[in-house]
Amino acid sequence: MTSHLCRSGLLLPFLLAITACAAAPLSGGSSRSVIVGFTLATPGDAPEALERLKKAGATDARFVSSLSSRSHSYRLTCPQVDPACDKVLDALRGQPGIDYVSIDRGKDSQ
Amino acid sequence: MTMLPRIGLALCALVAAPSFTQAADGLEARVIVKLKASSVLKQIQAAGRVETLGTRMGVKAHMVSQPGRDLHVMRASGLTSEALAARLAGDADVEYAVPDRIKKISALPNDPLYGFQWYLQAPDTTRLAATNAQAAWDMTSGSSKVVVAVVDSGVRFDHEDLAPRLVAGYDFITDDLNANDGQSGRDANASDPGDYVSAADRNNAALTALCGTLSVQGSSWHGTQVAGILAAETNNSRGIAGMGGATRVLPVRVLGKCGGFDSDIIAGMRWAAGLSVPGVPSNPTPARVINLSLAGAGTCSAAYRSAIAEIRAAGTLIVAAAGNESGAVNEPANCPGVLAVAGIRHVGTKVGYSSHGVEVGISAPAGNCVNVQVGQPCLFPFINPTNQGSTSPTANTYTGTGDNTVGTSFAAPLVAGTAALMLAANPALTETDVGALIKSSATPFPLDSTLPTCPLTSADGQCNCTTTTCGAGMLNTGSAVTAAVAAANPSVSIGVATSRVVGTAFSLDGGGSAATGGAHLVAWKWIQISGPGSGSFSSDSVAAPSFTAPVAGTYVVGLTVTDDSGRQGTGQATFEVQSVAAKSSGGGGGALDPASLMAFLALAALATGRRLKG
């Protein structure tokens, strides 16, 4: 992943993202929050699930919360403005066992 | 050929409609009936006219009074006023027949701010969009068994106008900065600690990383306001009246500082509907309706689609604000299966700020201030329970006419509260039924010739609503609850044998009639409404009697069914009786040749039935 980031000129943002992890923001410029829907019940914080996401998307993933037994939110160390991040999401969507990947967007009272 | 009689029964099957709920025993009908100018009954005394009509209807009737020369008030036992009026309306001598209903002084809530709640009152020439909740409250005061989830910023549990209606909820906000409640992660306290953004917050790098650019602002107490519109305690001599009467509110906290995230909102929605969320205790009071007075830009995501499908499958209706962006409908209101609510002004035109589009299902008042200058009051705001605290909570209070309390956030709970009243009136309704009835009972949009038609808008965003931009019409709570009540009544199906000859008994079949919601039919009442002669039933109180006609011609029979809750449905069938048996092509008893079948099909098409409006 580091070589990929170097090639795309994103090593610095990546390092900043790792640093930002200490403050554990849900979402921010250096990370992207996503909701992953699995086809089968999957413990969202299980090491296997996280490893699976890392391998699929070639990026670090941190479990944030569960929506159901099959859907969980994660923070990917993946800058929001990086087109490569979209490719990561596409790669995730193409994985067997993953039903969908949605961006975890914000909502406001109306 | 042997199937033909059975086919004939099916073809004659009619669906009829419901009448008002009434006790099965001791039914008493009271109807105003006017005779046609040409009626031959006018040749006899008034009391005799009523008795004759009663005989035709299969009941013993007597006259109560004669308010006009051809106008009579009649009474009869054993059926409802609606059922008798429906039967009389089909008589050749009757111009009209209507139930003689008792009118009462409508009991208005004694909540002192009710006078400001124009959106709950009966519409008039200046407030066309008012929902007429008052009329609905005459039919049901709501039910504490119906729970509506307010998925929002939490509530002030100590608000005196709200406390009796609240059940314990849950706080689904995962991020502690977003939550601002001093507790780690999700927790069982759905209380609203305030969603203010202070100057210090603006300088908090972690919070700005979470939220983006922040503006200093006070706490909104948004969830408390929305919950109040939905279910503030009514008739407690305090504050406002809630749309939903005795409805209970399940507060689900998902919005904190700078709003909330889809992941928390979806988890909260699922839990509200009684679905499991890992790490969260099960919900002991699942909601039949979820109110979402929140929105954000974007198309409907797969995450919402998946959750909404599960929630609907669990039987929970989702009502969502369309958004305040003037343009396209926001997420999640734009998701399939959600009842999206657009905002309209007091006169029924789209309010400038409301989002609109084909995804909208219904429109409701959202508040509008009508060109207010600085310092002038807002003319058509919402008056909501709130808190005086600009940051953390202090004393509870209400918004006033000096506040611009407007937005599609406030239109949505009017719809959710209406749904709750409907479910109180008829618990058997499904979430699909409720949504469909809210739409079908809506009031058509008015037309203001000075405004463009949506999606074109005036400079301030107003336009004349259409059914493809603002949903089915204007929310009519009175009509929606009426429709819910009517849907609880039994349907009537009448089958008639295909072979019908003078002097020979042939079968009628009301066995296809059905009660709703787990009720059972307990009584059938057949009558002959009209015909060239007085026919006879083998029994007039069974599901499938035989009927014998003395002379050939066209006969009309009626059937009233009653369920074990006293609800009734009435229908009728018209058929021809032949003087001699139809010629058969060689088949045996009761079978029809092709020519006779065609004649029968024509008769079947003439058969009429009616659903009585409740």
Side-chain angles (χ1 to χ4, degrees):
Chain A
M1 182 178 71
T2 306
S3 60
H4 165 76
L5 291 169
C6 286
R7 280 199 304 276
S8 59
L10 293 170
L11 181 58
L12 181 59
F14 171 73
L15 293 172
L16 289 174
I18 296 296
T19 305
C21 276
L26 183 63
S27 180
S30 56
S31 64
R32 188 173 289 200
S33 292
V34 296
I35 300 169
V36 179
F38 296 91
T39 54
L40 298 173
T42 303
D45 56 353
E48 313 84 72
L50 295 169
E51 190 60 31
R52 186 175 169 187
L53 291 175
K54 287 179 189 176
K55 284 182 179 174
T59 185
D60 284 328
R62 181 174 71 84
F63 170 78
V64 176
S65 66
S66 290
L67 288 66
S68 72
S69 61
R70 293 191 295 113
S71 57
H72 312 281
S73 70
Y74 297 92
R75 189 170 66 87
L76 307 180
T77 51
C78 180
Q80 291 184 10
V81 295
D82 180 9
C85 207
D86 293 329
K87 293 180 180 175
V88 168
L89 299 184
D90 288 341
L92 278 174
R93 291 186 179 105
Q95 288 299 307
I98 290 182
D99 186 21
Y100 62 81
V101 177
S102 297
I103 303 298
D104 193 2
R105 295 185 287 228
K107 296 287 182 284
D108 292 312
S109 57
Q110 297 297 298
Chain B
M1 290 295 283
T2 56
M3 287 296 290
L4 282 175
R6 191 180 297 270
I7 294 169
L9 288 170
L11 286 169
C12 272
L14 300 170
V15 175
S19 58
F20 274 118
T21 300
Q22 210 164 339
D25 297 327
L27 289 176
E28 194 72 26
R30 185 175 168 120
V31 170
I32 303 169
V33 57
K34 185 178 184 187
L35 298 179
K36 288 179 179 173
S38 58
S39 170
V40 294
L41 292 177
K42 291 165 73 173
Q43 297 170 11
I44 59 178
Q45 293 289 324
R49 300 170 192 173
V50 168
E51 289 172 9
T52 302
L53 285 172
T55 302
R56 289 182 189 174
M57 303 301 119
V59 296
K60 185 173 176 57
H62 67 273
M63 191 174 76
V64 175
S65 64
Q66 188 179 14
R69 198 172 58 179
D70 302 329
L71 205 57
H72 314 78
V73 178
M74 64 185 284
R75 293 183 67 172
S77 300
L79 74 176
T80 63
S81 299
E82 287 74 20
L84 178 58
R87 291 182 192 176
L88 287 166
D91 189 278
D93 284 306
V94 172
E95 182 173 324
Y96 65 78
V98 295
D100 186 16
R101 295 195 179 100
I102 295 173
K103 293 289 183 290
K104 303 172 191 168
I105 298 171
S106 196
L108 296 178
N110 62 15
D111 306 74
L113 296 176
Y114 182 69
F116 293 98
Q117 294 182 275
W118 62 272
Y119 36 87
L120 297 179
Q121 298 166 19
D124 57 28
T125 53
T126 58
R127 303 175 302 180
L128 298 170
T131 60
N132 204 13
Q134 285 179 184
W137 296 335
D138 285 342
M139 291 176 269
T140 177
S141 55
S143 169
S144 61
K145 293 178 181 174
V146 178
V147 174
V148 179
V150 173
V151 179
D152 211 288
S153 65
V155 294
R156 290 309 308 159
F157 278 92
D158 55 358
H159 200 294
E160 57 277 13
D161 215 3
L162 208 48
R165 294 281 168 263
L166 299 173
V167 297
Y170 210 84
D171 178 0
F172 276 86
I173 301 179
T174 305
D175 187 272
D176 296 340
L177 286 171
N178 185 211
N180 189 41
D181 60 358
Q183 294 171 294
S184 180
R186 293 173 174 172
D187 59 77
N189 184 0
S191 180
D192 187 348
D195 57 0
Y196 64 92
V197 175
S198 65
D201 290 330
R202 286 188 63 189
N203 296 324
N204 183 324
L207 192 61
T208 54
L210 176 74
C211 300
T213 305
L214 288 168
S215 300
V216 173
Q217 61 186 34
S219 290
S220 67
W221 313 113
H222 190 265
T224 299
Q225 296 195 49
V226 170
I229 294 167
L230 181 59
E233 190 171 27
T234 303
N235 259 335
N236 60 345
S237 301
R238 190 194 301 268
I240 64 165
M243 168 64 90
T247 301
R248 290 190 296 167
V249 170
L250 174 72
V252 179
R253 186 166 183 253
V254 298
L255 301 178
K257 285 181 185 282
C258 76
F261 287 87
D262 292 333
S263 50
D264 291 338
I265 295 166
I266 292 170
M269 289 168 63
R270 293 186 76 261
W271 183 82
L275 302 172
S276 66
V277 176
V280 178
S282 61
N283 175 5
T285 51
R288 299 277 322 256
V289 183
I290 291 174
N291 184 87
L292 298 172
S293 290
L294 51 83
T299 56
C300 182
S301 70
Y304 272 108
R305 286 175 188 268
S306 175
I308 288 165
E310 285 185 275
I311 290 165
R312 294 188 68 201
T316 300
L317 174 71
I318 303 171
V319 177
N324 299 338
E325 308 305 321
S326 290
V329 178
N330 285 174
E331 187 188 49
N334 59 12
C335 292
V338 170
L339 182 56
V341 185
I344 47 178
R345 302 172 74 244
H346 66 293
V347 291
T349 54
K350 188 189 82 70
V351 66
Y353 56 77
S354 177
S355 300
H356 56 289
V358 71
E359 301 94 338
V360 174
I362 190 77
S363 283
N368 51 293
C369 294
V370 192
N371 303 322
V372 170
Q373 305 297 315
V374 174
Q376 289 183 329
C378 182
L379 294 185
F380 296 96
F382 275 68
I383 305 298
N384 301 331
T386 188
N387 189 277
Q388 290 180 355
S390 59
T391 56
S392 298
T394 57
N396 292 310
T397 186
Y398 297 85
T399 61
T401 55
D403 302 310
N404 289 347
T405 43
V406 300
T408 55
S409 271
F410 303 145
L414 292 179
V415 176
T418 298
L421 290 175
M422 295 167 72
L423 289 166
N426 183 356
L429 292 176
T430 66
E431 65 92 26
T432 305
D433 294 336
V434 173
L437 290 176
I438 285 175
K439 292 177 183 176
S440 64
S441 63
T443 303
F445 295 114
L447 182 67
D448 181 341
S449 60
T450 67
L451 290 175
T453 299
C454 307
L456 299 177
T457 63
S458 62
D460 62 358
Q462 288 186 58
C463 53
N464 283 306
C465 279
T466 66
T467 53
T468 54
T469 53
C470 304
M474 301 188 293
L475 175 68
N476 186 330
T477 302
S479 293
V481 173
T482 299
V485 170
N489 292 330
S491 63
V492 173
S493 168
I494 302 175
V496 184
T498 52
S499 177
R500 302 177 298 272
V501 179
V502 166
T504 302
F506 58 88
S507 61
L508 302 174
D509 188 0
S513 305
T516 64
H520 299 90
L521 296 182
V522 294
W524 292 258
K525 179 68 176 176
W526 293 88
I527 59 158
Q528 180 184 335
I529 294 173
S530 64
S534 182
S536 61
F537 296 93
S538 57
S539 167
D540 66 356
S541 58
V542 296
S546 62
F547 182 77
T548 305
V551 292
T554 302
Y555 288 76
V556 180
V557 297
L559 171 62
T560 298
V561 296
T562 305
D563 70 17
D564 48 11
S565 295
R567 292 182 285 250
Q568 290 189 317
T570 300
Q572 61 187 48
T574 303
F575 51 83
E576 200 78 21
V577 175
Q578 309 292 333
S579 57
V580 293
K583 185 184 291 184
S584 171
S585 58
L592 293 180
D593 58 30
S596 298
L597 176 60
M598 291 307 294
F600 166 73
L601 290 172
L603 285 171
L606 287 172
T608 58
R610 77 178 64 218
R611 292 189 73 89
L612 300 179
K613 297 292 182 188

